[in-house]
């Protein structure tokens, strides 16, 4: 086989077959994907499903804490998990530039394989398109995901006055890592993506008898993006205690130097949860018992209903300022 | 709103919200997509589902008989239909180059809207990424699809000696149309894509009591691609009557001038069906009663079992030659 991805791979002829068998199935093969039919037959155990899709255009492809392969699996698993679903099946669509190194593609597929296996999820259907040189920068990956609902009712519209808001770890790690690596910033302290699958940490919350109102992972748009989406969808004000938001020192330093706010940087392995205050202690206990949730804490609360709601930051001095929603061009190709 | 697609659209902030509400939901909005959650909750009426994915990189974006919008819906609906599934839900992921004309994007979305509505299918979850100028040529679209199985058992592994093979219309129309438009070939006779949804034509076959063995639409790889996939998966020789294969005169002329075989050109609105000979007459009657299947006919038959199977063409002179599977670089960005 050639050392580069060739146009002929996606022509539907001999080379397509060989590519599927020698490369794709080598890493991702399973009893469902191996059928290689136009669509794959699945059996689900409930009629209530969650369905999601995401395309990944991150640059660089390989970064500290992950790569586009791991990210494209994790991102979709997390979109299912935050809606109370157990991730079951993924689709995978690769769009590759002619001449892309096969070595890099295999490294990406191997990373996917590991992430899939850790999460007991299968890629069951796929597609590969190769486009001529210059028609795309390297490789973009789409995954769509299907999950089975095990905790129904979570919604951005579901926040209630009196809820507290829990965050499961530090914010901005993924976004800052990608930006720093892409732009070649050098820091003494390492920056690393927090890219991680949330379902294993969340599952015990779903199977407990706790009342949960909303759940989300702060990816594009960051913490501020989720909080504004929630505030607007539920028509409630939200108050966040600035001092309580965990930001790693190296992330904070990076943001200060460049004049950014960490609230706008995406994470890829954190969860935000809105739930009644009386449930918070048990929820924190459950979350902290998982390695990914060890630093879970309450960072804010839901205030009263409001027609034009806002998100406030309470500063360490006890004053309040409005948390700004990010505007304008900010972070292309961050996920 | 700007007249071009801007990077800020996919940043997760204010502009993302505005873009989703003013552009995406304007054309594709429905009670499920409107939730704009990280994944969408669905209710299915059977535990047996079909799942598929496809990315569309076709160039040009607009062509006679369709455009990338229509094609990206039809392509995925057909991948579900040929496995015996009723298409239900689609995901839609747009990857757009910064600066892409908003007018063209709206034209694409409008075309999708019409195709979805004709087929009573909803886009229920989506994603938009905008990448900087030069990182992609215009727009690529991924759709994944979920269908409910209404006719189980169709498979490329399921051809039986004695089956006949039905083709529902002329071959190569889509591929030849795209190639001619892209390369600027001028012909007196118009070439038009056959891009069309197959499910309405196939549904009466599925709900009849007919025995069907395999079904496929000859897209990438063309007629030859499907026949070889079937032959190899079922380990049977296949014989096709060359004279019976419907090829439009303008498609044949195009192929002859350029030295191609029409058997390698993709269609986007034709079905190939393998079924027992005794079922053929009723199947043809059903197919011909739908406008899309009016020209359905038997084009070949399945011969004996074979470890290393081949596909033969019987020429008008009664001799046999081997149908060649397409090799090498052929038709990038055809779908």
């Amino acid at each position: 086989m050639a050392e580069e991805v060739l146009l002929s791979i996606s022509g539907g002829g001999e080379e397509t077959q060989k590519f599927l068998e020698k490369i794709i199935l080598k890493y991702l093969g399973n009893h469902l994907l191996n059928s290689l039919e136009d669509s794959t037959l699945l059996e689900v155990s409930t009629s209530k499903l969650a369905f999601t899709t995401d395309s990944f255009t991150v640059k660089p492809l390989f970064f500290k804490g992950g790569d586009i392969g791991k990210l494209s699996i994790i991102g979709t698993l997390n979109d299912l998990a935050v809606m109370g679903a157990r991730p079951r099946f993924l689709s995978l669509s690769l769009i590759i530039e002619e001449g892309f190194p096969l070595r890099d593609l295999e490294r990406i597929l191997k990373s996917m394989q590991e992430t899939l296996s850790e999460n007991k999820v299968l890629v069951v259907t796929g597609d590969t398109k190769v486009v001529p040189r210059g028609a795309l920068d390297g490789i973009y990956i789409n995954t769509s995901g299907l999950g089975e609902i095990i905790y129904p009712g979570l919604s951005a519209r579901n926040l209630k006055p009196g809820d507290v808001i829990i965050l499961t770890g530090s914010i901005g790690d993924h976004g800052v890592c990608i930006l720093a690596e892409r732009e070649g910033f050098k820091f003494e302290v390492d920056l690393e993506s927090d890219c991680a699958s949330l379902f294993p940490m969340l599952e015990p919350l779903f199977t407990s008898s706790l009342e949960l109102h909303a759940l989300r992972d702060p990816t594009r748009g960051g913490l501020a993006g989720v909080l504004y989406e929630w505030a607007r969808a539920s028509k409630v004000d939200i108050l966040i205690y600035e001092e309580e938001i965990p930001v790693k020192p190296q992330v904070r330093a990076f943001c200060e130097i460049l004049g950014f706010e960490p609230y706008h940087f995406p994470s890829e392995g954190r969860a935000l949860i809105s739930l009644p205050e009386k449930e918070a202690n048990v929820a924190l206990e459950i979350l902290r018992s998982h390695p990914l949730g060890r630093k879970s804490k309450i960072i804010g609360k839901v205030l009263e209903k409001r027609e034009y709601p806002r998100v406030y930051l309470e500063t360490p001095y006890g004053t309040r300022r409005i948390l700004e929603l990010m505007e304008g061009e900010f972070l292309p190709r961050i996920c």
Side-chain angles (χ1 to χ4, degrees), chain A:
Chain A
M1 209 145 190
E3 289 178 6
E4 293 183 344
V5 173
L6 304 176
L7 280 177
S8 56
I9 281 177
S10 76
E14 291 285 7
E15 288 91 340
T16 305
Q17 284 302 317
K18 213 191 294 178
F19 172 76
L20 292 176
E21 283 159 25
K22 303 254 153 112
I23 306 291
I24 298 292
L25 295 185
K26 173 178 167 192
Y27 293 99
L28 306 181
N30 60 65
H31 67 291
L32 293 168
L33 185 64
N34 296 356
S35 74
L36 295 178
E37 303 271 6
D38 276 4
S39 54
T40 302
L41 306 192
L42 306 174
E43 181 105 26
V44 289
S45 60
T46 164
S47 63
K48 291 188 194 314
L49 304 177
F51 188 28
T52 189
T53 191
D54 228 332
S55 288
F56 297 84
T57 61
V58 66
K59 182 178 183 176
L61 298 175
F62 304 96
F63 47 84
K64 194 143 193 252
D67 55 55
I68 191 172
K70 179 179 179 187
L71 185 64
S72 64
I73 303 297
I74 293 290
T76 290
L77 294 186
N78 288 352
D79 280 350
L80 296 171
V82 296
M83 290 300 287
R86 175 191 307 282
R88 288 289 313 275
F89 304 111
L90 296 183
S91 68
L92 171 65
S93 180
L94 305 170
I95 315 183
I96 313 176
E97 184 183 19
E98 176 190 11
F100 188 77
L102 204 59
R103 193 183 53 246
D104 286 350
L105 179 62
E106 293 205 54
R107 194 173 153 199
I108 291 166
L109 292 170
K110 191 165 188 315
S111 167
M112 287 185 169
Q113 179 188 34
E114 289 164 7
T115 311
L116 289 162
S117 147
E118 282 162 24
N119 287 282
K120 299 186 188 66
V121 171
L122 302 176
V123 164
V124 296
T125 184
D127 176 55
T128 303
K129 294 286 188 309
V130 182
V131 296
R133 275 174 219 273
L136 180 149
D137 180 21
I139 185 169
Y140 296 159
I141 298 179
N142 175 280
T143 54
S144 299
L146 210 55
E148 296 175 346
I149 298 290
I150 62 170
Y151 189 96
L154 294 168
S155 166
R157 289 169 179 73
N158 209 12
L159 279 79
K160 305 270 189 293
D163 278 8
V164 296
I165 291 174
I166 290 176
L167 175 63
T168 63
S170 59
I171 58 166
D173 299 24
H174 176 75
V176 164
C177 164
I178 298 299
L179 192 59
E181 292 207 17
R182 184 161 72 207
E183 307 301 336
F185 296 115
K186 300 269 179 260
F187 289 88
E188 279 183 29
V189 187
D190 274 342
L191 294 161
E192 182 169 346
S193 169
D194 58 326
C195 183
S197 172
L198 295 169
F199 184 75
M201 173 183 73
L202 297 175
E203 186 179 12
L205 276 192
F206 296 148
T207 54
S208 72
S209 52
L210 289 176
E211 179 182 343
L212 310 172
H213 289 161
L215 216 164
R216 193 61 72 88
D217 54 335
T219 55
R220 274 191 293 176
L223 180 67
V226 173
L227 292 173
Y228 265 99
E229 226 180 299
W230 279 1
R232 289 171 181 175
S234 295
K235 294 193 183 297
V236 290
D237 281 344
I238 295 176
L239 178 70
I240 299 296
Y241 317 117
E242 192 168 15
E243 244 184 355
E244 296 299 317
I245 302 176
V247 183
K248 286 187 181 154
Q250 59 269 45
V251 169
R252 190 180 298 283
F254 181 93
C255 289
E256 277 174 10
I257 290 166
L258 295 175
F260 293 128
E261 295 240 52
Y263 317 121
H264 297 145
F265 274 89
S267 304
E268 291 288 346
R270 309 296 180 218
L272 267 176
I273 306 162
S274 184
L275 76 178
E277 190 171 9
K278 65 178 170 54
E279 309 284 47
N281 283 338
V282 179
L284 284 170
E285 206 173 294
I286 292 174
L287 290 166
R288 287 175 183 152
S289 70
H290 190 278
L292 197 60
R294 217 161 33 82
K295 300 198 169 166
S296 297
K297 60 198 292 199
I298 293 172
I299 63 156
K301 64 181 172 186
V302 177
L303 305 177
E304 55 270 46
K305 284 269 174 191
R306 184 84 67 190
E307 187 57 26
Y308 298 99
R310 286 193 161 159
V311 180
Y312 297 96
L313 277 179
E314 190 171 277
T315 68
Y317 316 103
T319 58
R320 285 188 185 182
R321 64 177 176 107
I322 288 172
L323 176 64
E324 302 287 345
L325 188 52
M326 184 265 293
E327 275 192 55
E329 293 181 20
F330 187 56
L331 291 172
R333 302 189 66 181
I334 208 84
C335 64

